[in-house]
Every structure is written in structure tokens, then in C-alpha cells.
């Protein structure tokens, strides 16, 4: 039987990665090969000319704008010299094909984009004569714009909207994006009255400064809450509990007050359009008020039931606060992870755009040129999509492994003065040198679950309204089961990374050890961990409620009387995402501390030679728990049970 790190003499200190062995090397090699394949896709798309077609643009005849072109067989108007024509102009830029995700319009290479609206063919002709930029088909001379019978087909749709070139991509895009509103309406199938969508979009555009200010407010509140967690963790749970209850009651009261006030406001002096907007706002306020009331009642009942478990959370949160004091760089982990994800997503989107313009020229039914990939290479899209999921999960898993390594080092170091100068950087170093294979394997398992769920969701969306009730129920059940499996695997993976940081074992061994510990400590998982997550959820609710309340007050009293339902939803979603990014790190620290605490209590009892590694606050909690169990007649049997020892040894 192996020996646990917590069973050794107190004179010996836990040291990470004693054997200095790499774990899951085959999976690391597989991940590297997969990334090489991703690079091959990007290189292939660039080598086949997709980069030039993407950046410079091309017309409907296969000519790349801004350069000389080669004649394509059987394609009229191909092989033209467009050295002086550097911009792509669409005759009907607002005619979009939502199914095939492209503009259903003839594209031409022009010398300049029309910066002002052109209402008649005479204006188009004057623009061509003054700027040397012909906006009609190549077959029609500018002098024939107003006289030819083909002008209605070969010239742009009137009026020609004012446009400007997109930076770096040389496409003439309409300055006023309102012409795309009808396509947004087509995407929102539940809106029967298109005027509702127009008013929603108008509300967003009118309130953009307020939306930006509220988003910044949510960011500031999240950072303030992190500082509060760091310095007053002992009273944090009670503060959050009281503030959330007061915030929920206050928000609910304000919503009902606004509903009653707006319902009593006179409506005789406003226009019919303003009356419709007022009715929409009144209906939205009623829905918000009822939802807030139900949420407040449920929240109050949950807190009433869980009030006896608050002491457990206080002890764990206090230690987590100390972790952030000793490891202040943990606060910045969401920024580094977000930055890495943004860089990868930018690369992925750019490669996706390259793939959209790569391939061989093919003439479609209208006689225009499209670029398509044939043969096995056409399945590169699927490889690229799998890469998006796997590498994104890999980056998130690296964050979890980094945090776990730093917190484990903190927990199992008796004298905190002996901590490494930068535990976070030391954890990153160990991750890169020894555990990238473990992270690659864990993220691949999540990918295997995510891909089927996304495929089923896509099938469900495509069959919406066509499948029978039985098929719809089966699809939704499968999607729900896969979602639950993904959440369970995410939680198990995170604990497996913690076990890897403690024992330096491979992924499967670490997952098994972590699973055994969690099963043996099921009650503690249900109390400490769940209550801790719930308290952090209350912090997210507090930030969302505070931002939403400020948004209600600002949007309700703004001078432009518009529908502010959509702006408020945007602000609340952004506030929740920001709060989640910050508090997820704290949640991760609490989970790692819990696993370390569970191992510590199972292998140590506080006697000489088997002293606890835990903080004094947790020691007090253990002693109080033992006293309570003895008083209940249980005699501490639960804490005396032995687990299967973990394989980590001390030097």
C-alpha cells in the first residue's frame, strides 16, 4: 500500500513533482500532431490564394481586385486588369442569402466607394465621370447608364446607399446598417410584428452610451467584490446574504413601483407610435416584476434551509481569502486565459474566412464564379471545428491546472514563508514541463461529449417544426443527458487536475483517486462545496442585480423614449459574464481547497507525526465537527474511516 502525503511526519514537507516524470506523453504527442494539422489547413488556404481573395476581394467573375488576373476558361469578363480598381462593390449589398451565408448580388471591382447616397442613374453616371469609378457592369460604359435598356439589370439598385471601405478588407459596406434589419428579423422567427424588432434595435442604438457605461460598472463591481473577498472573507457570506436579499427585495419593489407609475401615467398626449412603445414597456415591466417576485421568494426559501451550513462556508472562504493574499496573481488568471482564447479565436476565424474563399473556380447557375473545394479536402471544415472545441477546452484546462498547482503548493506548505517567490509561475512551469499531456487528455474527453451534443442541437434546430412529438422528446432528452454528463466530467476533470498536482500521476489515475475521495466525502461535497458555489452564485446575482437596477433607473428616465428591454438584457448578460469570469477563479480555489482538505482530514488526525496541513480556521471547524458528532453519539466514525492512500510520497 502506498503512503499518502498527509501521513508523513510533520518534519517532512510536501514537495511537488518529486519524481519529475511527465504524464500522458502519448496524448501530448497526439495533441501536437492535431495542432500541426490545424496549421496545415491554414497554410493550405493561404497557399491556394485564399488570403489574397479574402483581403483584396474578388468580383463575380473571379478577378481579384487591385491586381492583374489570369483568364479563366469559359468565364466571361475574367482575366481583367484591376490594378486601379481596389474595392469590391455590390450592386445590391442588402440582398443576403441567409441559408448559404453570402450576399446574393453581383460584385464588381471599383476604384472608389460612393461616399454619398446616389438616388438616380444620372447621379451614378456623374460619380463615374468625376471619380473614374464605374458602378455598373463592365459591359456597360458610363455614357450608356441613362440610355441603355439594360441599366436596370446591369447597374446597382437605386438608391445606392452611402458606403465606405471596410478597413483591411477592401469591401464597400453601407454606412447605414439599417438595410440589414430585415435579415435580422428573419433570424428571429418568434417576432410576428417586424415593427417590434425595429423598435428594439432603435432602443439599443439610442442607449449605446448607457449600455457601455453599465458594462464598465459591472466590471468595476466585479473587481471590488474580489477585493472584498480577499480582505473580509469572514463576514463575506453574511454580507452577500443580506445584500442579495435586500437587493432582490429592493429590485422587486422598484419594478412594481415603476409598473404602477407607468400604468397611471396619462396617455392622451402621446402619439400612436409612442403609445405602442409605452405598452411594450408596461408589458415588459409586468413580466420583470412577476419574475423578480418569484425569484425573491425562491431565494429566501433556499437561504432559510441552508442557514445552518453557513459556518462551513465561512471557514473555507476565509482560507480562500488567505490564498489570494499570498497568491495575488490568481486574480489576473481570467485576463490571461481570455487573452489566449481571443488570440486563438481570432486565428480560427481568420482561417475559417480563408477556407471560405479557397478552392478552384466553379461557374454557378447564374454564370458567376464561386470557389469550392472538391475531394477529401472539403472535410477540412469538420477538422477545423473540432480544433475550435478541443483547443479552447485545452486552454481552459491549462488555467484549471495552473490554479490547482498553485493552491496545492500553498496548502501543503506548512510554513508559508517557504512558498516559492511566484507560485503561479512555478505552477505554469510544472504544467508546461510535465502535465500538458494530462491537460490534453482531459480536454479531449470534454470534446468527445460536446461534439455529439452540438450535432444533436443542430439536428434539432434543422428539424424544428417538422419532427413529431416523440422524436422531439428523444432529441431533447439526449441533449439534456449529454449536457449533464459534460458538467459532471468538467467537475471530475478539475479534481483530477488537483490530484495530478498533488501526486504527479497520469490523468486516469488522478481521476480515479479524486473520484474515490469525492465519493467517500459525499456529505462534505454536498455541504462545503455546494454551499460555497452557491455563495459565489449569490455574488454574481448581486452584481447582475446592481447593474440591472442601475440600468432600469437610467434607461427609464432617459430623454429618448425607446424600448429598453433589449439594452437591459444585453447589460445583464454582460454583467453576469464578467462576474462569472472573476468569481470562477475563486470558485476554482474553493474546489481545490476542498479536495486538499478532504485528503488532509482522511490521512491525518492532528496527533504527533500526523499533524494537519490545514489552516487554523479549518482546524477549528474540524474540532467543532468532532465535538458535534460525539454529542450526537456518532463518535467521529466518519472521520476515522480510511481511504485508499494516494501514491504521492514525501522526501
Amino acid at each position: 500500500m502506498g503512503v499518502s502525503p498527509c501521513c508523513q511526519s510533520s518534519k517532512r514537507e510536501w514537495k511537488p513533482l518529486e519524481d519529475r516524470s511527465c504524464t500522458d506523453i502519448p496524448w501530448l504527442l497526439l495533441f501536437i500532431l492535431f495542432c500541426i494539422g490545424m496549421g496545415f489547413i491554414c497554410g493550405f488556404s493561404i497557399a491556394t490564394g485564399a488570403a489574397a481573395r479574402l483581403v483584396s476581394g474578388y468580383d463575380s467573375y473571379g478577378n481579384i481586385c487591385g491586381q492583374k488576373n489570369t483568364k479563366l476558361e469559359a468565364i466571361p469578363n475574367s482575366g481583367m486588369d484591376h490594378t486601379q480598381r481596389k474595392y469590391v462593390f455590390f450592386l445590391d449589398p442588402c440582398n443576403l442569402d441567409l441559408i448559404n451565408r453570402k450576399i446574393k448580388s453581383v460584385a464588381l471591382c471599383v476604384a472608389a466607394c460612393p461616399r454619398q447616397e446616389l438616388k438616380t442613374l444620372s447621379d451614378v453616371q456623374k460619380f463615374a465621370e468625376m471619380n473614374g469609378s464605374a458602378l455598373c457592369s463592365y459591359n456597360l460604359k458610363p455614357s450608356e447608364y441613362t440610355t441603355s435598356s439594360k441599366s436596370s439589370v446591369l447597374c446597382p439598385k437605386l438608391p445606392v446607399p452611402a458606403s465606405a471601405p471596410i478597413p483591411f478588407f477592401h469591401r464597400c459596406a453601407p454606412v447605414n446598417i439599417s438595410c440589414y434589419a430585415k435579415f435580422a428579423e428573419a433570424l428571429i422567427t418568434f417576432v410576428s410584428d417586424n415593427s417590434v424588432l425595429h423598435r428594439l434595435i432603435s432602443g439599443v442604438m439610442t442607449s449605446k452610451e448607457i449600455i457601455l457605461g453599465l458594462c464598465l460598472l459591472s466590471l468595476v463591481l466585479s473587481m471590488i467584490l474580489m477585493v472584498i473577498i480577499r480582505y473580509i472573507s469572514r463576514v463575506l457570506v453574511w454580507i452577500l446574504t443580506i445584500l442579495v436579499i435586500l437587493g432582490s427585495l429592493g429590485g422587486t419593489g422598484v419594478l412594481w413601483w415603476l409598473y404602477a407609475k407607468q400604468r397611471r401615467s396619462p396617455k392622451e398626449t402621446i402619439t400612436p407610435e409612442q403609445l405602442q412603445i409605452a405598452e411594450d414597456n408596461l408589458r415588459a415591466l409586468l413580466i420583470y416584476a412577476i419574475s423578480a417576485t418569484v425569484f425573491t421568494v425562491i431565494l429566501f426559501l433556499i437561504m432559510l434551509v441552508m442557514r445552518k451550513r453557513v459556518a462551513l462556508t465561512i471557514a473555507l472562504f476565509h482560507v480562500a481569502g488567505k490564498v489570494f493574499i499570498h497568491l495575488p496573481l490568481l486574480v489576473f488568471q481570467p485576463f490571461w486565459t481570455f487573452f489566449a482564447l481571443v488570440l486563438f479565436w481570432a486565428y480560427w476565424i481568420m482561417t475559417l474566412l480563408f477556407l471560405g474563399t479557397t478552392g478552384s473556380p466553379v461557374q454557378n447557375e447564374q454564370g458567376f464564379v464561386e470557389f469550392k473545394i472538391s475531394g477529401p479536402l472539403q472535410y477540412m471544415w469538420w477538422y477545423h471545428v473540432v480544433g475550435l472545441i478541443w483547443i479552447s477546452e485545452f486552454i481552459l484546462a491549462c488555467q484549471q491546472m495552473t490554479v490547482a498547482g498553485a493552491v496545492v503548493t500553498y496548502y501543503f506548505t506548512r510554513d508559508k514563508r517557504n512558498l516559492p517567490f511566484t507560485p503561479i509561475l512555478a505552477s505554469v512551469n510544472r504544467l508546461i514541463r510535465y502535465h500538458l499531456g494530462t491537460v490534453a487528455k482531459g480536454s479531449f474527453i470534454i470534446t468527445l461529449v460536446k461534439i455529439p451534443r452540438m450535432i444533436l442541437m443542430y439536428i434539432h434546430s434543422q428539424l424544428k417544426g417538422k419532427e413529431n412529438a416523440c422524436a422531439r422528446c428523444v432529441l431533447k432528452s439526449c441533449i439534456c443527458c449529454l449536457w449533464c454528463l459534460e458538467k459532471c466530467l468538467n467537475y471530475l476533470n478539475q479534481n483530477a487536475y488537483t490530484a495530478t498536482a498533488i501526486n504527479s500521476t497520469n490523468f486516469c489515475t488522478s481521476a480515479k483517486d479524486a473520484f474515490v475521495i469525492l465519493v467517500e466525502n459525499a456529505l462534505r461535497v454536498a455541504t462545503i462545496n455546494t454551499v460555497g458555489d452557491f455563495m459565489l452564485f449569490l455574488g454574481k446575482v448581486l452584481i447582475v442585480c446592481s447593474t440591472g437596477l442601475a440600468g432600469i433607473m437610467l434607461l427609464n428616465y432617459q430623454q429618448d423614449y425607446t424600448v429598453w428591454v433589449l439594452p437591459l438584457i444585453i447589460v445583464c448578460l454582460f454583467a453576469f459574464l464578467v462576474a462569472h469570469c472573476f468569481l470562477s477563479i475563486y470558485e476554482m480555489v474553493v474546489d481545490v481547497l476542498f479536495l486538499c482538505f478532504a485528503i488532509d482530514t482522511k490521512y491525518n488526525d492532528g496527533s504527533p507525526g500526523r499533524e494537519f496541513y490545514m489552516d487554523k480556521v479549518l482546524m477549528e471547524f474540524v474540532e467543532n465537527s468532532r465535538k458535534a458528532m460525539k454529542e450526537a453519539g456518532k463518535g467521529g466514525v466518519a472521520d476515522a474511516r480510511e481511504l485508499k492512500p494516494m501514491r504521492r510520497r514525501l522526501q
Side-chain angles (χ1 to χ4, degrees), residues 9 23 109-110 133 151-152 167 202 214 217 404 425 478 480 542:
S9 171
T23 56
C109 292
V110 298
S133 182
S151 297
S152 59
S202 174
L214 291 173
L217 174 63
L425 296 181
C478 292
C480 181
L542 174 62

Side-chain angles (χ1 to χ4, degrees), residues 373-398:
I373 305 176
S374 59
L377 293 178
Q378 61 183 322
Y379 299 107
M380 289 190 299
W381 294 87
W382 292 101
Y383 191 97
H384 197 58
V385 171
V386 173
L388 171 66
I389 301 173
W390 191 5
I391 297 179
S392 297
E393 290 295 330
F394 178 84
I395 294 173
L396 294 174
C398 285

Side-chain angles (χ1 to χ4, degrees), residues 226-234 317-332 406-407 410 416 419-424 585-586 589 593 615:
M226 288 297 294
V227 174
I228 292 175
I229 290 175
R230 176 177 174 179
Y231 289 105
I232 57 171
S233 55
R234 279 185 177 273
F317 269 48
H318 180 72
V319 179
K322 288 186 176 181
V323 171
F324 280 95
I325 293 175
H326 286 87
L327 310 177
L329 291 180
L330 280 177
V331 179
F332 299 99
V407 176
Y410 169 85
K416 306 308 178 187
L419 283 170
F421 177 69
T422 54
I424 296 292
I585 294 297
Y586 203 92
V589 171
L593 284 174
D615 187 87

Side-chain angles (χ1 to χ4, degrees), residues 91 120-122 124-125 135-137 139-158:
L91 299 188
T120 63
L121 287 176
S122 298
V124 176
Q125 187 179 45
L135 303 183
C136 295
S137 178
N139 300 327
L140 198 63
K141 297 179 181 179
S143 59
E144 300 174 347
Y145 286 0
T146 57
T147 58
S148 176
S149 59
K150 299 181 180 179
S151 297
S152 59
V153 178
L154 301 180
C155 288
K157 182 179 179 181
L158 298 175

Side-chain angles (χ1 to χ4, degrees), residues 378-520:
Q378 61 183 322
Y379 299 107
M380 289 190 299
W381 294 87
W382 292 101
Y383 191 97
H384 197 58
V385 171
V386 173
L388 171 66
I389 301 173
W390 191 5
I391 297 179
S392 297
E393 290 295 330
F394 178 84
I395 294 173
L396 294 174
C398 285
Q399 173 183 266
Q400 294 175 351
M401 191 73 185
T402 301
V403 173
V407 176
V408 165
T409 301
Y410 169 85
Y411 188 95
F412 288 110
T413 301
R414 297 187 187 278
D415 188 355
K416 306 308 178 187
R417 293 174 296 182
N418 295 331
L419 283 170
F421 177 69
T422 54
I424 296 292
L425 296 181
S427 180
V428 171
N429 177 59
R430 294 196 300 270
L431 166 66
I432 295 175
R433 295 179 63 184
Y434 306 111
H435 295 314
L436 286 179
T438 299
V439 171
K441 188 174 184 178
S443 57
F444 181 76
I445 293 174
I446 301 298
T447 304
L448 285 181
V449 179
K450 268 194 172 182
I451 291 177
R453 182 169 67 88
M454 295 177 65
I455 292 175
L456 290 178
M457 292 176 64
Y458 175 77
I459 294 175
H460 181 264
S461 64
Q462 293 298 311
L463 297 179
K464 193 172 184 180
K466 300 178 182 179
E467 78 279 15
N468 55 38
C470 181
R472 183 168 59 252
C473 180
V474 171
L475 275 175
K476 289 185 177 180
S477 299
C478 292
I479 293 172
C480 181
C481 291
L482 288 174
W483 182 83
C484 294
L485 178 61
E486 180 184 335
K487 294 300 179 183
C488 293
L489 288 176
N490 268 321
Y491 181 72
L492 182 61
N493 278 10
Q494 181 176 328
N495 286 279
Y497 299 146
T498 304
T500 298
I502 296 173
N503 301 316
S504 187
T505 51
N506 60 40
F507 178 81
C508 291
T509 303
S510 300
K512 181 186 66 175
D513 292 338
F515 180 76
V516 170
I517 292 174
L518 293 175
V519 170
E520 292 290 337

Side-chain angles (χ1 to χ4, degrees), residues 230-402:
R230 176 177 174 179
Y231 289 105
I232 57 171
S233 55
R234 279 185 177 273
V235 296
L236 174 65
V237 176
W238 295 113
I239 292 176
L240 282 177
T241 302
I242 295 173
L243 288 180
V244 168
I245 292 178
L246 293 178
S248 300
L249 292 174
T252 303
V254 169
L255 286 171
W256 282 112
W257 173 71
L258 290 175
Y259 172 75
K261 180 181 178 181
Q262 191 161 321
R263 189 177 181 182
R264 293 193 303 266
S265 61
K267 300 180 175 58
E268 294 80 6
T269 59
I270 60 177
T271 63
E273 183 178 357
Q274 290 178 329
L275 180 62
Q276 183 62 41
I277 294 177
E279 292 177 355
D280 291 338
N281 282 334
L282 187 65
R283 191 182 304 111
L285 278 173
L286 179 60
I287 295 174
Y288 285 154
I290 295 175
S291 302
T293 302
V294 174
F295 174 79
T296 302
V297 172
I298 295 176
L299 186 65
F300 182 77
L301 292 176
I302 292 176
M303 288 185 157
L304 189 64
V305 172
M306 300 179 71
R307 69 187 187 281
K308 295 182 179 180
R309 306 292 184 182
V310 171
L312 307 177
T313 308
I314 291 176
L316 202 58
F317 269 48
H318 180 72
V319 179
K322 288 186 176 181
V323 171
F324 280 95
I325 293 175
H326 286 87
L327 310 177
L329 291 180
L330 280 177
V331 179
F332 299 99
Q333 284 303 302
F335 292 102
W336 312 133
T337 304
F338 180 74
F339 181 70
L341 286 173
V342 167
L343 287 180
F344 169 68
W345 289 341
Y347 159 81
W348 190 87
I349 293 174
M350 187 62 64
T351 305
L352 183 68
L353 295 176
F354 286 158
L355 286 176
T357 55
T358 193
S360 303
V362 178
Q363 192 172 17
N364 60 18
E365 298 176 354
Q366 290 78 27
F368 301 132
V369 173
E370 294 180 353
F371 292 91
K372 295 184 178 180
I373 305 176
S374 59
L377 293 178
Q378 61 183 322
Y379 299 107
M380 289 190 299
W381 294 87
W382 292 101
Y383 191 97
H384 197 58
V385 171
V386 173
L388 171 66
I389 301 173
W390 191 5
I391 297 179
S392 297
E393 290 295 330
F394 178 84
I395 294 173
L396 294 174
C398 285
Q399 173 183 266
Q400 294 175 351
M401 191 73 185
T402 301

